[in-house]
Amino acid sequence: MKIYKLGDEILREMCVEVKPEEINDEFRATINEMFDTMISANGVGLAAPQVGIAKRFFVVIADDDVRRVFINPVITKTSNDLVDYEEGCLSIPGFYENIKRPSTVSVSAIDENGKRFTVEDAKGLLARVIQHENDHLNGVLYIDRGEEEFKKQTEEQFKKRAERAAKKAEERAKKQAAIASKIAAKKAKKDAR
């Protein structure tokens, strides 16, 4: 699956709830594909908008190695105490920032079989990833929760990267068109004989 990057509009969209009838074999196949994509990118969480789906669900494998699926999650409780942790994101590769978040979180959600469940007082990496991925469902990125200067620099660098990539793609297309034109001219010359 393609992982959408900073600058792609879908990362700033408010996602819509998954309807009960949408939780079927095709949906579960998408979830498995998301797990595969996340693992191959060395991630610990991946939200639906990061793969181009504007729906409220995400997958997680935290430090306990348990595969978790959160559909239509609702954070029901957070601790008052905040902890700093260096966060990164598969949609903003190569950039890290210390972000303060509640140290524990409780969440109610639906699993991939349509059953409601609750995680009470998750802590450590699991609490962090739940909050990070849940933010994605609301169009919020971790850089929105850090220092304003870091956010500004990160957005500028991503914009420059995108411009360079577009320029390279344009140059490649021009080269390919020139080669195709030469081949067509040679063929036309040969056919004319």
Side-chain angles (χ1 to χ4, degrees), residues 22-189:
E22 293 177 299
I23 303 172
N24 54 29
D25 288 342
E26 186 180 335
F27 185 82
R28 283 185 280 279
T30 298
I31 286 169
N32 285 331
E33 202 174 340
M34 284 176 66
F35 272 118
D36 292 343
T37 300
M38 179 190 80
I39 291 164
S40 68
N42 294 317
V44 292
L46 187 64
Q50 291 181 276
V51 293
I53 304 167
K55 296 276 187 171
R56 299 189 72 78
F57 68 97
F58 59 83
V59 300
V60 171
I61 301 178
D63 44 5
D64 58 4
D65 287 333
V66 176
R67 288 169 62 115
R68 291 183 174 89
V69 177
F70 294 82
I71 301 168
N72 301 336
V74 176
I75 291 180
T76 56
K77 183 175 76 173
T78 57
S79 62
N80 291 327
D81 59 310
L82 303 177
V83 290
D84 255 347
Y85 190 87
E86 188 178 68
E87 285 189 34
C89 182
L90 296 177
S91 292
I92 313 174
F95 293 84
Y96 303 92
E97 173 79 331
N98 278 330
I99 304 295
K100 280 189 186 330
R101 292 193 190 264
S103 62
T104 63
V105 63
S106 296
V107 61
S108 173
I110 298 167
D111 69 15
E112 66 272 29
N113 298 310
K115 296 201 176 9
R116 173 130 332 252
F117 71 96
T118 303
V119 176
E120 293 287 343
D121 299 320
K123 54 184 169 266
L125 184 60
L126 180 59
R128 173 80 39 181
V129 177
I130 288 170
Q131 293 173 80
H132 177 110
E133 300 308 330
N134 196 69
D135 273 354
H136 275 298
L137 307 183
N138 299 314
V140 176
L141 301 174
Y142 83 97
I143 60 173
D144 301 330
R145 298 194 178 276
E147 296 292 327
E148 189 58 38
E149 188 58 30
F150 173 75
K151 177 182 177 180
K152 186 178 166 189
Q153 287 175 351
T154 303
E155 288 174 333
E156 284 173 8
Q157 286 185 325
F158 258 80
K159 186 177 179 185
K160 285 177 186 171
R161 277 186 191 176
E163 287 167 358
R164 282 194 304 268
K167 190 175 180 179
K168 280 183 181 176
E170 186 182 326
E171 288 169 2
R172 267 195 310 274
K174 280 182 184 176
K175 281 181 184 175
Q176 288 172 342
I179 290 168
S181 176
K182 283 180 183 177
I183 290 170
K186 280 184 179 179
K187 186 178 184 317
K189 210 177 207 184

